[in-house]
Amino acid sequence: MRQVVAESVPASTRTIEYARWRTGRILTAEHGEDVVEMPSRATFYRLFAKLSGGVSVTGSARTRQSLANQPEGPFRYEQVAAPGELMPARPAPARPPL
């Protein structure tokens, strides 16, 4: 399914049913006929939503392609579990007392 999402970035807009069909073809080519069972339609839609998060696979091709061509931003998201867990490498100097 990740391969289908990656293939969709430069391509024209496809439907989720196309992604389901293409995933089935990839599984058949890699593992053989009826070796790997495809998930149900509802399960496939849930998995597709999770794996295609942030990529407008079924949306506008122009939006998808422009998002793919953007440079990475200077900041990144870090998940922190406790206060003070993430500290800067070089903390700012302490201000002198008044």
Side-chain angles (χ1 to χ4, degrees), residues 2 5 18 22 43 45 48-49 53-54 57-58 64 80 82 85-86:
R2 287 189 176 112
V5 171
Y18 172 80
R22 180 74 179 117
T43 303
Y45 275 49
F48 188 80
V57 175
T58 59
R64 183 175 56 254
V80 180
E85 183 177 342
L86 185 65

Side-chain angles (χ1 to χ4, degrees), residues 66-78:
S66 68
L67 287 174
N69 292 329
Q70 285 182 346
E72 286 196 30
F75 306 105
R76 65 176 189 256
Y77 176 75
E78 295 288 339

Side-chain angles (χ1 to χ4, degrees), residues 45-63:
Y45 275 49
R46 282 193 300 270
L47 288 170
F48 188 80
K50 286 188 184 275
L51 291 176
S52 66
V55 180
S56 180
V57 175
T58 59
S60 168
R62 175 176 273 174
T63 301

